[in-house]
Amino acid sequence: MSSTVSLPRTIFDADHEAFRDVARRFAEREVAPHLAEWADAGRVDPAIFRAAGELGLLGVGVDERFGGGGVDDFRFNAVLIEELCRIGAQAVTMSLSGFNDLVAPYLNALGSDEQKQRFLAPLCAGEKIAAIAMSEPAAGSDLAAVTTTATRDGDHYVVSGAKTFISNGMLADLIIAVVKTDPAAGKRGISLLVIEADAPGFSRTGPLRKIGLAAQDTAELHFDDVRVPRANLLGQEGEGFGYLRHHLAQERLSIAVASMALMRRTFGTALEHAVTRTAFGRRIADFQANRFYLAELATEIEIAQSFVDRCVLAAAQHDLDEITAAMAKWWVTELHSKVVNRAVQLHGGYGFMAEYDVAADYLNSRGSTLYGGTTEVMKDIIGRKLISSRSD
């Protein structure tokens, strides 16, 4: 259900809307009926990746030679996110769009033709599943502090360390791991390696139990002297931190797009409840305090949507910078939390009942201000840029 307000959105054309029809049918037919089952299992069925791949929903921006759609336009990514979130499938969004917005951009931009054929082709088809492993038990948003090492040994790297909170971690066949190839060089010693899950010495623990997003496969990964061919290095050795700074903008916008779509859904649910539920002989929407809640949220949602759409268009035109992405990520995810919290309050006791969508929304939304970089880290990125621009 969506809110009744809405300024016209002008960033999508007929091709995007045709893609939306495909994504909406996929979400309704292939995803919605299985959400409860996947939540109980702690992960999605891997078959959903193959179903998405067959419909061209994976790797839209990847060259057709490597199994993608050949259309490098983030608006298609945004459409898939919106349609999955429209049915409340936030966990599935993180699985499928996790490939489109977190994994594919690195392989697409940094991989050699041989690497793209070897890795991207089966991933775009949904025949294999990938994850990106950044966070560690002692290093979350501070990527320069990672301690997983990759030491050269002939034609291989020997990888040792651990990663945690890794989305798709239990299902992944391939992992892009953030490693230190030169621990003494700080952030200049960071590199990206593709590690195959069948490599001796690799293991994983999970799915990790979370307070929300039950169907989202989250794991801890362990590397015990894992030998990785040097041919699996993405880009240049020691350039990983720069690659991360560049590509994290898309990940953060992806999170903002999801929060935007999810809060619209939750607001629609709260509005419907407010106009149908009665208390003291009146609809609860007729109490002035509740009308003010609804008016404030509707206004803030529209303002946020306008900013997010501007960012989506910038990303489609390859003009999204890390500062603007950080602004979108922290502002929209915090607004998402506010909208959900108000929605629970408007539902009264029913908002605390597990069978109500708004209760699930409340639990699922909490992680959005944490993953992809916390709100505080986003503000620090923005603040540092403001200060440095005044000092130059």
Side-chain angles (χ1 to χ4, degrees), residues 165-189:
F165 310 142
I166 307 306
S167 298
N168 289 343
M170 294 302 294
L171 291 174
D173 303 292
L174 306 171
I175 298 101
I176 298 177
V178 179
V179 298
K180 284 277 182 70
T181 45
D182 184 357
K187 64 180 64 176
R188 292 185 175 85

PDB file of all heavy atoms in Angstrom, residues 165-189:
ATOM      1  N   PHE A 165      29.142 -10.097   9.703  1.00  0.00           N
ATOM      2  CA  PHE A 165      27.959  -9.382   9.200  1.00  0.00           C
ATOM      3  C   PHE A 165      27.908  -9.393   7.671  1.00  0.00           C
ATOM      4  O   PHE A 165      27.520  -8.408   7.042  1.00  0.00           O
ATOM      5  CB  PHE A 165      27.918  -7.923   9.689  1.00  0.00           C
ATOM      6  CG  PHE A 165      28.112  -7.749  11.167  1.00  0.00           C
ATOM      7  CD1 PHE A 165      28.856  -6.682  11.663  1.00  0.00           C
ATOM      8  CD2 PHE A 165      27.551  -8.638  12.069  1.00  0.00           C
ATOM      9  CE1 PHE A 165      29.033  -6.514  13.023  1.00  0.00           C
ATOM     10  CE2 PHE A 165      27.729  -8.474  13.441  1.00  0.00           C
ATOM     11  CZ  PHE A 165      28.470  -7.410  13.917  1.00  0.00           C
ATOM     12  N   ILE A 166      28.269 -10.512   7.065  1.00  0.00           N
ATOM     13  CA  ILE A 166      28.378 -10.575   5.607  1.00  0.00           C
ATOM     14  C   ILE A 166      27.066 -11.057   4.997  1.00  0.00           C
ATOM     15  O   ILE A 166      26.642 -12.196   5.208  1.00  0.00           O
ATOM     16  CB  ILE A 166      29.536 -11.498   5.179  1.00  0.00           C
ATOM     17  CG1 ILE A 166      30.836 -11.075   5.875  1.00  0.00           C
ATOM     18  CG2 ILE A 166      29.684 -11.483   3.659  1.00  0.00           C
ATOM     19  CD1 ILE A 166      31.212  -9.619   5.687  1.00  0.00           C
ATOM     20  N   SER A 167      26.428 -10.186   4.227  1.00  0.00           N
ATOM     21  CA  SER A 167      25.179 -10.528   3.546  1.00  0.00           C
ATOM     22  C   SER A 167      25.438 -11.564   2.460  1.00  0.00           C
ATOM     23  O   SER A 167      26.433 -11.474   1.727  1.00  0.00           O
ATOM     24  CB  SER A 167      24.555  -9.275   2.917  1.00  0.00           C
ATOM     25  OG  SER A 167      24.235  -8.324   3.901  1.00  0.00           O
ATOM     26  N   ASN A 168      24.541 -12.545   2.358  1.00  0.00           N
ATOM     27  CA  ASN A 168      24.693 -13.682   1.439  1.00  0.00           C
ATOM     28  C   ASN A 168      25.887 -14.555   1.813  1.00  0.00           C
ATOM     29  O   ASN A 168      26.351 -15.365   1.004  1.00  0.00           O
ATOM     30  CB  ASN A 168      24.838 -13.239  -0.025  1.00  0.00           C
ATOM     31  CG  ASN A 168      23.546 -12.704  -0.603  1.00  0.00           C
ATOM     32  OD1 ASN A 168      22.466 -12.918  -0.063  1.00  0.00           O
ATOM     33  ND2 ASN A 168      23.648 -11.974  -1.704  1.00  0.00           N
ATOM     34  N   GLY A 169      26.369 -14.416   3.051  1.00  0.00           N
ATOM     35  CA  GLY A 169      27.590 -15.103   3.444  1.00  0.00           C
ATOM     36  C   GLY A 169      27.498 -16.614   3.452  1.00  0.00           C
ATOM     37  O   GLY A 169      28.470 -17.304   3.113  1.00  0.00           O
ATOM     38  N   MET A 170      26.334 -17.166   3.826  1.00  0.00           N
ATOM     39  CA  MET A 170      26.198 -18.618   3.864  1.00  0.00           C
ATOM     40  C   MET A 170      25.972 -19.198   2.474  1.00  0.00           C
ATOM     41  O   MET A 170      26.375 -20.332   2.193  1.00  0.00           O
ATOM     42  CB  MET A 170      25.036 -19.015   4.784  1.00  0.00           C
ATOM     43  CG  MET A 170      25.251 -18.673   6.250  1.00  0.00           C
ATOM     44  SD  MET A 170      26.731 -19.417   6.979  1.00  0.00           S
ATOM     45  CE  MET A 170      26.316 -21.167   6.908  1.00  0.00           C
ATOM     46  N   LEU A 171      25.333 -18.444   1.608  1.00  0.00           N
ATOM     47  CA  LEU A 171      24.993 -18.944   0.273  1.00  0.00           C
ATOM     48  C   LEU A 171      26.089 -18.693  -0.760  1.00  0.00           C
ATOM     49  O   LEU A 171      26.113 -19.339  -1.805  1.00  0.00           O
ATOM     50  CB  LEU A 171      23.699 -18.285  -0.221  1.00  0.00           C
ATOM     51  CG  LEU A 171      22.404 -18.662   0.497  1.00  0.00           C
ATOM     52  CD1 LEU A 171      21.253 -17.810  -0.033  1.00  0.00           C
ATOM     53  CD2 LEU A 171      22.097 -20.137   0.329  1.00  0.00           C
ATOM     54  N   ALA A 172      26.977 -17.775  -0.472  1.00  0.00           N
ATOM     55  CA  ALA A 172      27.902 -17.295  -1.503  1.00  0.00           C
ATOM     56  C   ALA A 172      28.848 -18.377  -2.017  1.00  0.00           C
ATOM     57  O   ALA A 172      29.438 -19.132  -1.251  1.00  0.00           O
ATOM     58  CB  ALA A 172      28.713 -16.124  -0.963  1.00  0.00           C
ATOM     59  N   ASP A 173      28.975 -18.416  -3.338  1.00  0.00           N
ATOM     60  CA  ASP A 173      29.975 -19.248  -4.004  1.00  0.00           C
ATOM     61  C   ASP A 173      31.279 -18.474  -4.203  1.00  0.00           C
ATOM     62  O   ASP A 173      32.355 -19.068  -4.313  1.00  0.00           O
ATOM     63  CB  ASP A 173      29.470 -19.704  -5.371  1.00  0.00           C
ATOM     64  CG  ASP A 173      28.162 -20.462  -5.270  1.00  0.00           C
ATOM     65  OD1 ASP A 173      28.174 -21.583  -4.728  1.00  0.00           O
ATOM     66  OD2 ASP A 173      27.123 -19.938  -5.715  1.00  0.00           O
ATOM     67  N   LEU A 174      31.149 -17.143  -4.296  1.00  0.00           N
ATOM     68  CA  LEU A 174      32.289 -16.258  -4.511  1.00  0.00           C
ATOM     69  C   LEU A 174      32.218 -15.123  -3.502  1.00  0.00           C
ATOM     70  O   LEU A 174      31.134 -14.611  -3.215  1.00  0.00           O
ATOM     71  CB  LEU A 174      32.267 -15.650  -5.921  1.00  0.00           C
ATOM     72  CG  LEU A 174      32.162 -16.585  -7.120  1.00  0.00           C
ATOM     73  CD1 LEU A 174      31.921 -15.768  -8.390  1.00  0.00           C
ATOM     74  CD2 LEU A 174      33.430 -17.401  -7.259  1.00  0.00           C
ATOM     75  N   ILE A 175      33.365 -14.720  -2.982  1.00  0.00           N
ATOM     76  CA  ILE A 175      33.419 -13.610  -2.032  1.00  0.00           C
ATOM     77  C   ILE A 175      34.473 -12.622  -2.487  1.00  0.00           C
ATOM     78  O   ILE A 175      35.636 -12.995  -2.717  1.00  0.00           O
ATOM     79  CB  ILE A 175      33.759 -14.099  -0.598  1.00  0.00           C
ATOM     80  CG1 ILE A 175      32.683 -15.048  -0.072  1.00  0.00           C
ATOM     81  CG2 ILE A 175      33.921 -12.923   0.339  1.00  0.00           C
ATOM     82  CD1 ILE A 175      33.060 -16.501  -0.164  1.00  0.00           C
ATOM     83  N   ILE A 176      34.069 -11.361  -2.652  1.00  0.00           N
ATOM     84  CA  ILE A 176      35.057 -10.299  -2.852  1.00  0.00           C
ATOM     85  C   ILE A 176      35.487  -9.859  -1.465  1.00  0.00           C
ATOM     86  O   ILE A 176      34.701  -9.292  -0.704  1.00  0.00           O
ATOM     87  CB  ILE A 176      34.472  -9.116  -3.640  1.00  0.00           C
ATOM     88  CG1 ILE A 176      34.040  -9.545  -5.038  1.00  0.00           C
ATOM     89  CG2 ILE A 176      35.501  -7.990  -3.731  1.00  0.00           C
ATOM     90  CD1 ILE A 176      33.397  -8.433  -5.849  1.00  0.00           C
ATOM     91  N   ALA A 177      36.728 -10.132  -1.107  1.00  0.00           N
ATOM     92  CA  ALA A 177      37.218  -9.857   0.238  1.00  0.00           C
ATOM     93  C   ALA A 177      38.138  -8.641   0.239  1.00  0.00           C
ATOM     94  O   ALA A 177      39.013  -8.495  -0.623  1.00  0.00           O
ATOM     95  CB  ALA A 177      37.970 -11.063   0.785  1.00  0.00           C
ATOM     96  N   VAL A 178      37.917  -7.772   1.214  1.00  0.00           N
ATOM     97  CA  VAL A 178      38.800  -6.629   1.447  1.00  0.00           C
ATOM     98  C   VAL A 178      39.934  -7.112   2.343  1.00  0.00           C
ATOM     99  O   VAL A 178      39.702  -7.557   3.468  1.00  0.00           O
ATOM    100  CB  VAL A 178      38.034  -5.480   2.125  1.00  0.00           C
ATOM    101  CG1 VAL A 178      38.969  -4.297   2.390  1.00  0.00           C
ATOM    102  CG2 VAL A 178      36.855  -5.042   1.258  1.00  0.00           C
ATOM    103  N   VAL A 179      41.154  -7.055   1.831  1.00  0.00           N
ATOM    104  CA  VAL A 179      42.305  -7.632   2.542  1.00  0.00           C
ATOM    105  C   VAL A 179      43.453  -6.626   2.580  1.00  0.00           C
ATOM    106  O   VAL A 179      43.494  -5.677   1.796  1.00  0.00           O
ATOM    107  CB  VAL A 179      42.777  -8.938   1.862  1.00  0.00           C
ATOM    108  CG1 VAL A 179      41.685  -9.995   1.892  1.00  0.00           C
ATOM    109  CG2 VAL A 179      43.230  -8.668   0.417  1.00  0.00           C
ATOM    110  N   LYS A 180      44.385  -6.881   3.486  1.00  0.00           N
ATOM    111  CA  LYS A 180      45.620  -6.089   3.545  1.00  0.00           C
ATOM    112  C   LYS A 180      46.725  -6.896   2.862  1.00  0.00           C
ATOM    113  O   LYS A 180      47.156  -7.931   3.367  1.00  0.00           O
ATOM    114  CB  LYS A 180      46.004  -5.812   5.000  1.00  0.00           C
ATOM    115  CG  LYS A 180      45.170  -4.735   5.702  1.00  0.00           C
ATOM    116  CD  LYS A 180      45.681  -3.347   5.378  1.00  0.00           C
ATOM    117  CE  LYS A 180      44.900  -2.259   6.115  1.00  0.00           C
ATOM    118  NZ  LYS A 180      45.155  -2.235   7.562  1.00  0.00           N
ATOM    119  N   THR A 181      47.171  -6.417   1.714  1.00  0.00           N
ATOM    120  CA  THR A 181      48.312  -7.043   1.052  1.00  0.00           C
ATOM    121  C   THR A 181      49.623  -6.435   1.533  1.00  0.00           C
ATOM    122  O   THR A 181      50.692  -7.008   1.325  1.00  0.00           O
ATOM    123  CB  THR A 181      48.192  -6.897  -0.474  1.00  0.00           C
ATOM    124  OG1 THR A 181      47.801  -5.548  -0.796  1.00  0.00           O
ATOM    125  CG2 THR A 181      47.149  -7.852  -1.036  1.00  0.00           C
ATOM    126  N   ASP A 182      49.527  -5.268   2.184  1.00  0.00           N
ATOM    127  CA  ASP A 182      50.702  -4.632   2.790  1.00  0.00           C
ATOM    128  C   ASP A 182      50.256  -3.989   4.096  1.00  0.00           C
ATOM    129  O   ASP A 182      49.912  -2.805   4.134  1.00  0.00           O
ATOM    130  CB  ASP A 182      51.300  -3.589   1.841  1.00  0.00           C
ATOM    131  CG  ASP A 182      52.591  -2.966   2.390  1.00  0.00           C
ATOM    132  OD1 ASP A 182      52.974  -3.303   3.528  1.00  0.00           O
ATOM    133  OD2 ASP A 182      53.189  -2.141   1.676  1.00  0.00           O
ATOM    134  N   PRO A 183      50.248  -4.744   5.185  1.00  0.00           N
ATOM    135  CA  PRO A 183      49.726  -4.232   6.456  1.00  0.00           C
ATOM    136  C   PRO A 183      50.428  -2.965   6.941  1.00  0.00           C
ATOM    137  O   PRO A 183      49.822  -2.145   7.634  1.00  0.00           O
ATOM    138  CB  PRO A 183      49.950  -5.396   7.421  1.00  0.00           C
ATOM    139  CG  PRO A 183      49.966  -6.618   6.545  1.00  0.00           C
ATOM    140  CD  PRO A 183      50.625  -6.168   5.283  1.00  0.00           C
ATOM    141  N   ALA A 184      51.678  -2.787   6.583  1.00  0.00           N
ATOM    142  CA  ALA A 184      52.431  -1.619   7.054  1.00  0.00           C
ATOM    143  C   ALA A 184      52.035  -0.334   6.330  1.00  0.00           C
ATOM    144  O   ALA A 184      52.363   0.767   6.786  1.00  0.00           O
ATOM    145  CB  ALA A 184      53.934  -1.863   6.890  1.00  0.00           C
ATOM    146  N   ALA A 185      51.303  -0.469   5.217  1.00  0.00           N
ATOM    147  CA  ALA A 185      50.981   0.702   4.394  1.00  0.00           C
ATOM    148  C   ALA A 185      49.639   1.335   4.722  1.00  0.00           C
ATOM    149  O   ALA A 185      49.213   2.266   4.030  1.00  0.00           O
ATOM    150  CB  ALA A 185      51.032   0.320   2.919  1.00  0.00           C
ATOM    151  N   GLY A 186      48.965   0.827   5.752  1.00  0.00           N
ATOM    152  CA  GLY A 186      47.674   1.405   6.120  1.00  0.00           C
ATOM    153  C   GLY A 186      46.656   1.247   5.009  1.00  0.00           C
ATOM    154  O   GLY A 186      46.565   0.192   4.370  1.00  0.00           O
ATOM    155  N   LYS A 187      45.895   2.312   4.739  1.00  0.00           N
ATOM    156  CA  LYS A 187      44.860   2.222   3.700  1.00  0.00           C
ATOM    157  C   LYS A 187      45.461   2.016   2.308  1.00  0.00           C
ATOM    158  O   LYS A 187      44.774   1.524   1.408  1.00  0.00           O
ATOM    159  CB  LYS A 187      43.975   3.460   3.724  1.00  0.00           C
ATOM    160  CG  LYS A 187      44.664   4.768   3.386  1.00  0.00           C
ATOM    161  CD  LYS A 187      43.710   5.954   3.425  1.00  0.00           C
ATOM    162  CE  LYS A 187      43.153   6.194   4.807  1.00  0.00           C
ATOM    163  NZ  LYS A 187      42.303   7.423   4.852  1.00  0.00           N
ATOM    164  N   ARG A 188      46.739   2.359   2.130  1.00  0.00           N
ATOM    165  CA  ARG A 188      47.397   2.136   0.833  1.00  0.00           C
ATOM    166  C   ARG A 188      47.809   0.677   0.645  1.00  0.00           C
ATOM    167  O   ARG A 188      48.310   0.320  -0.414  1.00  0.00           O
ATOM    168  CB  ARG A 188      48.606   3.052   0.693  1.00  0.00           C
ATOM    169  CG  ARG A 188      48.261   4.517   0.570  1.00  0.00           C
ATOM    170  CD  ARG A 188      49.498   5.377   0.312  1.00  0.00           C
ATOM    171  NE  ARG A 188      49.150   6.767   0.080  1.00  0.00           N
ATOM    172  CZ  ARG A 188      48.963   7.666   1.041  1.00  0.00           C
ATOM    173  NH1 ARG A 188      49.104   7.298   2.317  1.00  0.00           N
ATOM    174  NH2 ARG A 188      48.640   8.916   0.762  1.00  0.00           N
ATOM    175  N   GLY A 189      47.586  -0.122   1.667  1.00  0.00           N
ATOM    176  CA  GLY A 189      47.922  -1.540   1.553  1.00  0.00           C
ATOM    177  C   GLY A 189      46.707  -2.427   1.376  1.00  0.00           C
ATOM    178  O   GLY A 189      46.809  -3.655   1.468  1.00  0.00           O
TER     179      GLY A 189
END
